Structure formats: structure tokens, C-alpha cells
Amino acid sequence: MASRCILQIALLLSFTTSLSLSYDLLQLQQQQRSSNSACLKLLRQVKGKPEHCQQDRMDFKFPEEIKQPRPFQKEMAALVIQEMLQNIFVIIRKEFSTTVWNKTIVDDLLDKLHQQMDRLKSTILQERPEDTNMTTLRLKSYYWRISRYLTARENSICAWTVVQAELISKFPIINSLTDYFQD
Amino acid sequence: MMLSSHRAWAIRLLTLCLVVYVSLALDSPRISPDDPGEHCNFKVTFRKYRLILLWELKNHSIVPTHYAFEYTIMSKPEGMKIVKNCTNITSSFCDLTDVWQDMHEMYIPLVKAYRGTALLVQCAGSIMTTNLAIEPPDFEVVGSADHISVTVSFPSLAPMVYKEDLRDHASLVIEEHLENNVKRHEPPINGSFIGNFSYVLNDLIPNTNYCVSVYFESIRFTPTVKAPLKCILYQPGQESVAVAISIVYALRQSGYVSLHTNFPKALIFKNFVPWTVPDLPLLEDVNTVEVCYINRKKKVWDYNYDDESDSENEASPRTSEGGYTMHGLTSRLLSQIPTSSATSQASHPEDSADEESEEPEEETQPQPQPWLPAALGPSPGQRECTSESCERTGGLPQDLSFGDNDSNSTEGSGGKITFNVNLSSVFLRVLHDDPEDSEEASLVLTPPEETVNLEESSQETESSLLVAGGEKLQVLFPSLPPKCLWTGDDLSDESDTGSSDVDDVRDGYIMR
């Protein structure tokens, strides 16, 4: 009798937890998309003109396994998103120049990126995997090349214009990975 | 001292002016055809499910004769790529559906404007995939009895944008506008945008003007382009009127309904004079019968059955066009009967049973057996009663005679006439005064042979025409006098085409 009650309570709790988690994931998904749209709008406000900076173009070699669509688990997708947002945050905070960016715009952008990273940590990434896989390592290398490029070009307008285009072009990948939250 | 200070100020002022002038000169835009600048406005759109790049020169005074389009990407340090279909073109747009297929890429287009062989200007820009404007689809709005139907036209194949199905990046939205209120509909569409899609707007207010707009909405492609509003006045029941009008039009076109203005004379009531409908004749009215006196010699049948005699003395029975053998009787009204003689003549009676039955065999066409009264001979010809001499008769003429060769002779006793009738076929006709109004009712029956006693029928006050049908006598044409016997003028042995006073010789009929 008691075991039956305990079993029913456990089932009810698990059902409720899954429902709440599904609701949280759906909400997280919507928040992620909204944050991405806001970041894109801010990134487009770089003062440079891409058509004038063709001589500064650079192939930073984004990891193909992330660019090409393939099934991701929810935790892995969140981990990749987290890695990307974190590196973007670091690059902009370290390398931004007032000649290229408006400081208000930069602060707003950094704030949105931080909020999104906190949501991921509080939901899916509560228990982050101990092993860092190859995907995240390749991501780290990719963003390190971008940072080194900006330093070498002394944060010129054209360098930031090239980086701007590179960062903007990778936000749709973040949106695609967000779809794996509801697996 | 003061002079040196003044000179110093002048020199500083000149230097400042020079610096300003030089800076202005250096910053002034120089339009060089070799330097691609922002001389064009670029716009990328998804129109008719095709990726189209449009450009427009900012300086409208420059009118090139043709363009050349090239492009490159920002992600890699690659050279310009030429688009084959967009080289040496006169239009200011280029279809890049199968060229630009990476939505994560930033494209750098380059447009060269020429006049002849001279390069006028070069335009460069940057196109982000998120700048794509998806134009709305074509749609129609149709009002029905109780709803408004919105039909959206999709292509036969799934539309692709950057090599991906549009359905994965955009959703269809239908907006219902009512004055200041906008109701948004997101119809569920299973699968891709293929074929025609219909959506019904219900719960509408009658006699209200509704406007509808359709567009694609996408999260990735931020510009949303809405279709122009299409408005319709919602009137329940208007469809039935339209259907009725279309049916009438179709009937008119097919000829079932003829709307002519040239009416026949009968329908022209311009000179219409009201006239009263004449009273219908009473049922008891007796049709007039014309009795014609024919002074003619008539061969008396001597009951000789010889073939020679028959052939010599008797005229060949006149066969009508219908193959009937005609026999007729002439009768005379009582009022016109001369005291001296009766001129009625009748065909001689014959043995109709056998011989007459053979006559149809001689005919070329198979016809029913002609009806031959036993007391009547063949009548080669007959004539109709003229209106002048025809009077009403209510009884059998007393001078009715048969087989009277002499026109002046009378036969018969006391108005009693007896003749045998072969009722194998009966041909009857009702005669009236006016030949034009004569009713010719022909009825061919195959009654059994029977002898008809005219004496009995002569006593009848009411005229009736008896027609034997099978074993039963049927009364037809009750208005006909029963004793109107009529014969043609060729009861004699003369030929049919002989002395006939009537030009129109018709078939013989016997009325009893």
C-alpha cells in the first residue's frame, strides 16, 4: 500500500518535472531566438562598409561539423551555443574600439549575451560534462583566430567589418541549434 | 612690434584656411568609374518564389544601355564571380535563385553600368541573408453565402530559398481587416507551399466591407512584405444572384432564351383590336354536309362476278396515296331532294369480303386492308362537298340509292339502305362546309366484317360516327351526321381523271 503510494507520487513528480522542463525548454528556446535577433541588430551597427574592405577578408575556418546540419542532443546543442556566446562576449569586450562601435551599443550587446548564457547554465547546462569534446575545442580555436586577426589589424574599421560579417553569419547556426532543445 | 603680431595672425589665418580647403578637397567625393562606390541601392527579394537582386542607380541622370553583374563573398578572400545570365543585360535585376545558396554568407555584389563600350559607373554593396524580403503570394478573395474564401496560389513545386524549403523558414499569415480591427489568421499548412490553398473566413458581419491581406512571416528574414489589401463587401445571398445571372446569360448564349426585338406579326399588339372569342360550337351542333347532285350514268352491278365484267365495267378502285381503296357515297339533303329524281349515286355494292381483300395485295406498299362497304363499289374519284350545296341533314336522305346507273333513277325503298361493309379497314373523314376547315380524321381499323344497317342509323336523331374497332364499336366524332354519305363524281365507269368537277380529288371516305 505504501509502496503503491510512493510509486504514484514518484510518477506524478516525474510527470510534473518533465512538463515543467518542457515548458522551461520552450521558454528558453523563445528567449534564445529573441536574444539572437537583438544581437544581430546590434552587430549590424558597425560603422564599416564590407564592400570597401574586400582586401581584409579572412577565412577563419569555422568548424564544419557545426555548420553542416546533423542531429544534436539537447545538452550538446546547448553546450555549443554556450561556447559560441561566451567567445563572442570575450572578443567584443576585449577588442572593441570606440572608432568602430558606439559604447552604448556595445554595453547593450554584452548584456544580452550574458543573460542568455545565464539561462543556459540554469536550465540545460546545470551539470556541464567534464570532458571537453573536440567540437568545443575547434570552436575555441576558431574564435582565437578571430581575436588574433583583430590584434594584427589593430582593430581597424575594415578588420572589425570583416569580423562583424563573420559573427553575423554564424548566428543562424545558433538558431538552428536552439531547435534541438525540444528533442 | 605690433606689425609682427599682425603678420603672425594673418599667417595663422591663411594656414587655417588652407588646411580647411585641403581637407575639404580631399574629402570631396570623386566619382570614378574605376572606384566602385555606393552609387546604387540594392535590394534582394524573394519574388514569385525566385531570389531576385534588384539595383537602382542613385544618380538618375546616368542612363546606361546595359549592365554586367558580378559578386563575391566576405567569408573567404575569393575573386569576383561572373553570373552568366546577368552579363550584358538591359534589365536592372538578376535572378540568383541557383547562384546564392548559402543563407549564412554575406555577399558582395558588383554592378557595372555601360553605355555602349564605355563604363559609366560601378556599384558595390553588401547583402546579408537576413536582408531578404519575401514578397507575398498571389491570392484571391471570393464572397459566398455565409463566408469569404481566400485562395492563395502556390507553385507546383516547393519553393526553395537558399537551397532550403521556404516552409522551414516562413509561415503564411492571413489578415482580416474590418475597419480599424485586424484579425490575424495563421492557417495550418501541412507540408510545403504547393498548389492552391483555400482558407475560409467565418463569423462575418453581413453587409460589411472586409479587406484581406496575405504575407509570409519569418524570424530569420526580418523584412515582412504584406500584400495590398483586397476588399470585398460581404453580402450573404449575393452568390445566388450571381449564379442566376450567369444561368440566364448562358441560356441566352445557347439560344434557349431569345431576346429579339423583331417580334412576329402575331405578337405585335400595336393594332390590337380586342375581339371576343367566338363561342365554341355546341356539342349538339350538327356538322353540315354538302350533298352534291351528280347527273351521271352509273353502271348497275348485275351481280356478275366475271373478271371481264369486273374489269370492263368497273373502274379500278382508286387507290389513295396511303394505299387505301376509296369508296364514297353521295347523299343529298332532304331539303334539296328534287321530287323527280334523285341524283345520288353510290358505288355499286360488291362482294367486298374477298375481292377487296385482294386489292391491298396489288398495292406496292403494305397497307392495312381497305375498308369497303359491301354495298359500295369502288369509287375512282370523289369530290368534296361544296359549301353552297351543303346543308345540314339530320337523316338519311330518302333518295339514297345504290347501284343506280341512271342519275335520274332512284332506288331504295323508303329511304332504307342496306349494304354490306367490310370493316377490315375503315377510313373516315369528317367534312365541313369550308373545305379549308375540313377535318380529316383518318382512322384505320380492322374490325370484323359485319353488316351495317343504315336503316337503324337513320333513325338516330343525333349524329354519330361509328367506327368498328375489333369487336367493339366505338363512337367517334359524335358531331358528325351519321347519314352524310358522300361520293365522288367518278362512281361511273369512267376513269378517275375523267369528268370531275372538282379539281382536288381526294381519297374516298365513308361516313356512317
Side-chain angles (χ1 to χ4, degrees):
Chain A
M1 182 67 180
S3 61
R4 183 180 298 177
C5 292
I6 293 172
L7 180 62
Q8 290 177 353
I9 293 172
L11 287 174
L12 184 62
L13 286 174
S14 62
F15 181 72
T16 307
T17 304
S18 62
L19 279 178
S20 62
L21 186 60
S22 298
Y23 175 77
D24 291 339
L25 293 176
L26 181 62
Q27 192 177 15
L28 179 66
Q29 201 174 26
Q30 294 174 351
Q31 289 171 346
Q32 182 68 59
R33 291 199 178 101
S34 177
S35 174
N36 291 341
S37 298
C39 293
L40 281 172
K41 288 181 181 179
L42 294 171
L43 281 172
R44 289 197 191 101
Q45 298 186 30
V46 173
K47 298 177 182 178
K49 300 291 183 183
E51 57 270 23
H52 297 158
C53 304
Q54 297 182 37
Q55 65 279 1
D56 295 311
R57 287 179 294 174
M58 182 74 176
D59 186 3
F60 300 103
K61 295 180 175 55
F62 187 81
E64 290 295 328
E65 63 269 23
I66 301 174
K67 191 175 182 179
Q68 298 297 329
R70 67 168 188 173
F72 274 99
Q73 289 185 354
K74 177 177 57 181
E75 293 77 12
M76 187 61 186
L79 189 63
V80 172
I81 293 174
Q82 177 76 8
E83 192 69 32
M84 293 176 68
L85 294 177
Q86 188 173 354
N87 283 276
I88 291 172
F89 182 90
V90 171
I91 289 173
I92 292 176
R93 189 180 65 172
K94 177 182 176 181
E95 306 288 347
F96 91 96
S97 170
T98 55
T99 58
V100 179
W101 297 85
N102 187 323
K103 189 175 185 309
T104 304
I105 293 173
V106 172
D107 292 338
D108 195 4
L109 178 59
L110 292 175
D111 183 56
K112 284 184 171 42
L113 290 171
H114 189 268
Q115 288 179 3
Q116 194 60 32
M117 287 188 290
D118 286 341
R119 293 192 194 102
L120 288 172
K121 286 179 181 179
S122 62
T123 54
I124 301 176
L125 299 176
Q126 288 181 356
E127 297 180 5
R128 187 165 178 171
E130 295 179 357
D131 297 332
T132 304
N133 53 19
M134 290 302 296
T135 301
T136 56
L137 287 176
R138 292 193 182 97
L139 274 174
K140 290 181 184 295
S141 300
Y142 165 75
Y143 286 103
W144 181 80
R145 286 189 288 271
I146 291 176
S147 180
R148 192 175 66 175
Y149 167 83
L150 286 171
T151 303
R153 301 298 174 99
E154 297 178 357
N155 297 319
S156 64
I157 294 178
C158 280
W160 269 111
T161 302
V162 171
V163 170
Q164 172 208 26
E166 186 69 22
L167 296 177
I168 289 175
S169 64
K170 300 305 178 283
F171 264 90
I173 297 176
I174 297 176
N175 283 332
S176 300
L177 293 172
T178 306
D179 295 337
Y180 293 106
F181 288 175
Q182 297 288 340
D183 55 356
Chain B
M1 192 67 172
M2 290 180 65
L3 183 61
S4 61
S5 66
H6 286 298
R7 287 179 181 175
W9 278 108
I11 293 171
R12 289 194 189 110
L13 185 60
L14 286 173
T15 305
L16 181 61
C17 294
L18 184 63
V19 169
V20 171
Y21 173 77
V22 171
S23 62
L24 289 174
L26 290 176
D27 291 339
S28 62
R30 291 171 298 177
I31 300 177
S32 172
D34 297 331
D35 183 18
E38 299 178 12
H39 307 298
C40 298
N41 293 323
F42 287 95
K43 178 184 177 183
V44 59
T45 178
F46 198 63
R47 177 178 298 173
K48 303 291 184 184
Y49 310 104
R50 305 289 296 178
L51 186 66
I52 307 295
L53 177 69
L54 303 98
W55 58 84
E56 180 186 9
L57 289 175
K58 292 181 180 179
N59 189 354
H60 296 284
S61 62
I62 300 175
V63 182
T65 57
H66 60 280
Y67 301 95
F69 177 79
E70 301 173 355
Y71 78 96
T72 185
I73 56 177
M74 281 298 291
S75 62
K76 296 178 182 179
E78 296 179 350
M80 284 293 180
K81 300 178 182 178
I82 298 174
V83 180
K84 293 181 180 180
N85 295 332
C86 298
T87 302
N88 194 16
I89 56 176
T90 57
S91 56
S92 60
F93 64 90
C94 182
D95 189 342
L96 300 172
T97 305
D98 300 325
V99 181
W100 290 0
Q101 296 184 343
D102 187 354
M103 71 164 57
H104 308 306
E105 186 60 75
M106 177 185 287
Y107 294 94
I108 307 298
L110 179 64
V111 173
K112 297 179 180 180
Y114 293 91
R115 177 179 289 278
T117 57
L119 177 63
L120 298 178
V121 67
Q122 296 187 72
C123 300
S126 59
I127 302 297
M128 296 292 295
T129 58
T130 54
N131 298 134
L132 178 66
I134 303 178
E135 293 190 357
D138 296 331
F139 69 102
E140 293 295 332
V141 180
V142 178
S144 300
D146 57 350
H147 63 272
I148 292 177
S149 177
V150 181
T151 303
V152 183
S153 300
F154 290 139
S156 57
L157 298 177
M160 307 295 285
V161 55
Y162 297 113
K163 289 178 63 179
E164 296 184 13
D165 195 343
L166 179 64
R167 186 68 178 94
D168 297 334
H169 299 288
S171 59
L172 185 69
V173 177
I174 298 176
E175 282 188 352
E176 172 188 335
H177 294 255
L178 174 59
E179 295 179 355
N180 295 326
N181 297 328
V182 179
K183 188 176 180 181
R184 177 188 169 97
H185 301 267
E186 295 186 27
I189 299 177
N190 297 326
S192 302
F193 298 129
I194 298 176
N196 291 337
F197 172 78
S198 294
Y199 186 76
V200 174
L201 302 179
N202 292 322
D203 300 331
L204 304 176
I205 302 173
N207 300 320
T208 305
N209 191 38
Y210 282 89
C211 296
V212 179
S213 178
V214 179
Y215 59 92
F216 290 110
E217 190 176 66
S218 174
I219 298 176
R220 298 183 179 179
F221 309 116
T222 51
T224 299
V225 182
K226 297 184 180 181
L229 293 174
K230 288 188 178 181
C231 300
I232 185 172
L233 180 61
Y234 177 62
Q235 286 182 331
Q238 62 181 354
E239 187 183 36
S240 60
V241 175
V243 170
I245 294 174
S246 61
I247 289 175
V248 170
Y249 180 77
L251 291 175
R252 180 178 179 183
Q253 289 298 105
S254 59
Y256 282 96
V257 174
S258 176
L259 302 177
H260 294 295
T261 55
N262 297 327
F263 295 100
K265 293 181 180 178
L267 296 181
I268 297 177
F269 299 99
K270 183 177 183 180
N271 300 322
F272 175 71
V273 177
W275 57 283
T276 58
V277 178
D279 297 332
L280 295 176
L282 301 176
L283 295 179
E284 294 75 15
D285 284 350
V286 180
N287 291 327
T288 57
V289 175
E290 181 183 5
V291 180
C292 307
Y293 289 96
I294 300 176
N295 297 321
R296 181 180 303 175
K297 288 187 178 180
K298 177 63 180 176
K299 182 178 179 181
V300 179
W301 182 51
D302 57 354
Y303 293 91
N304 186 0
Y305 292 94
D306 295 338
D307 294 337
E308 296 180 357
S309 63
D310 291 338
S311 60
E312 292 176 358
N313 298 327
E314 298 177 0
S316 60
R318 195 168 79 92
T319 306
S320 66
E321 296 179 351
Y324 296 99
T325 302
M326 296 171 291
H327 304 271
L329 296 174
T330 54
S331 65
R332 182 178 178 179
L333 296 175
L334 294 174
S335 59
Q336 293 182 348
I337 298 175
T339 55
S340 58
S341 64
T343 60
S344 62
Q345 296 181 359
S347 53
H348 295 283
E350 291 180 352
D351 187 356
S352 61
D354 299 332
E355 296 184 1
E356 299 303 330
S357 61
E358 295 176 354
E359 291 177 353
E361 299 176 1
E362 300 176 1
E363 298 169 354
T364 58
Q365 299 178 359
Q367 292 295 336
Q369 293 288 335
W371 174 62
L372 297 172
L376 300 177
S379 61
Q382 296 173 345
R383 71 178 181 185
E384 296 178 355
C385 296
T386 60
S387 59
E388 295 177 356
S389 59
C390 287
E391 291 183 11
R392 287 190 174 188
T393 177
L396 186 65
Q398 296 297 324
D399 60 345
L400 184 64
S401 61
F402 295 90
D404 189 2
N405 193 22
D406 189 359
S407 59
N408 295 325
S409 64
T410 59
E411 215 174 278
S413 58
K416 178 180 178 180
I417 300 173
T418 302
F419 56 91
N420 294 326
V421 175
N422 183 9
L423 298 181
S424 60
S425 68
V426 176
F427 216 87
L428 305 171
R429 184 174 72 175
V430 176
L431 297 177
H432 292 271
D433 295 341
D434 189 359
E436 297 179 353
D437 296 337
S438 64
E439 299 177 1
E440 297 187 5
S442 61
L443 178 64
V444 179
L445 301 175
T446 57
E449 294 184 24
E450 60 180 320
T451 304
V452 178
N453 191 357
L454 280 181
E455 181 182 12
E456 297 175 355
S457 59
S458 65
Q459 298 177 356
E460 294 177 359
T461 55
E462 287 192 7
S463 61
S464 63
L465 181 62
L466 301 180
V467 175
E471 297 179 358
K472 180 180 178 180
L473 288 177
Q474 299 176 357
V475 179
L476 297 177
F477 310 108
S479 62
L480 296 176
K483 304 169 185 64
C484 182
L485 302 177
W486 164 79
T487 183
D489 55 351
D490 49 359
L491 293 178
S492 61
D493 53 356
E494 295 178 354
S495 63
D496 295 343
T497 57
S499 57
S500 172
D501 296 337
V502 179
D503 297 329
D504 185 12
V505 178
R506 300 196 175 181
D507 301 339
Y509 297 93
I510 292 180
M511 292 177 291
R512 299 184 293 113

